[in-house]
Amino acid sequence: GGTSGFGIVPVFFSTRGPAAQRTLVGPVFTSSSAAGVRHVVVAPLSWWRCDPGGWALDLLPFTGYRWRADGRRRLYVLGPTFVHRVTSPTDRSSSLLGWLWRDERHGERHRSMLQPLWYLERRAGDDVFFSLLGGLLASYERAGRERQLAGRGSAGRRGPF
């Protein structure tokens, strides 16, 4: 068969076909397809989506959560106000107000910042870099066992603290 539909928009509408079906009842819209993709929208409050690879829920307009079967996840609250992402078991990031506060982990690398006050980065092994006020007030860097402290009154000092 073909596709058929009927209803009185915006009170009710329904359509069915071999590939998909859709229904609208007031502010609630649902759809599903033969490919396993489903949507439920309660306008203007929420939108839920599901497919064979994962699902997502948005509490419109600014908050939501996404989950994928491969382990990726994303949570956001009030759009760019707070975002948390997991892209693999060893890669994750969180941010507040864009780049104002950010914390990231990518394998052995860890980066954390509160701009412009401080920045900290830890790389593989003993490598560390830290700065206050973008390095204007002070900074510290350690590459392996060699250490360097720089900043007001301490430029050029090397060695253990």
Side-chain angles (χ1 to χ4, degrees), residues 26-123:
V28 179
F29 170 80
T30 64
S31 73
S32 62
S33 74
V37 178
R38 295 178 300 193
H39 296 267
V40 176
V41 177
V42 179
L45 303 174
S46 68
W47 181 7
W48 176 77
R49 304 175 284 299
C50 181
D51 62 52
W55 59 270
L57 173 64
D58 293 297
L59 301 174
L60 301 172
F62 301 116
T63 301
Y65 184 79
R66 291 170 179 36
W67 178 86
R68 302 303 301 167
D70 63 8
R72 291 180 294 153
R73 297 186 306 270
R74 180 176 182 219
L75 167 69
Y76 66 95
V77 178
L78 297 174
T81 302
F82 175 78
V83 177
H84 177 73
R85 290 185 181 105
V86 176
T87 54
S88 77
T90 59
D91 294 350
R92 60 188 63 228
S93 68
S94 298
S95 64
L96 183 65
L97 298 174
W99 281 81
L100 179 64
W101 173 79
R102 190 164 185 87
D103 188 77
E104 299 176 336
R105 294 179 190 272
H106 300 284
E108 291 186 34
R109 182 177 169 215
H110 179 204
R111 183 168 65 165
S112 184
M113 65 185 83
L114 179 60
Q115 296 294 345
L117 301 177
W118 60 274
Y119 176 88
L120 171 67
E121 184 171 352
R122 293 181 182 168
R123 297 176 287 270

Side-chain angles (χ1 to χ4, degrees), residues 110-143:
H110 179 204
R111 183 168 65 165
S112 184
M113 65 185 83
L114 179 60
Q115 296 294 345
L117 301 177
W118 60 274
Y119 176 88
L120 171 67
E121 184 171 352
R122 293 181 182 168
R123 297 176 287 270
D126 290 334
D127 296 354
V128 174
F129 176 76
F130 177 76
S131 70
L132 289 172
L133 290 176
L136 296 175
L137 184 59
S139 66
Y140 169 79
E141 185 168 7
R142 181 177 67 200

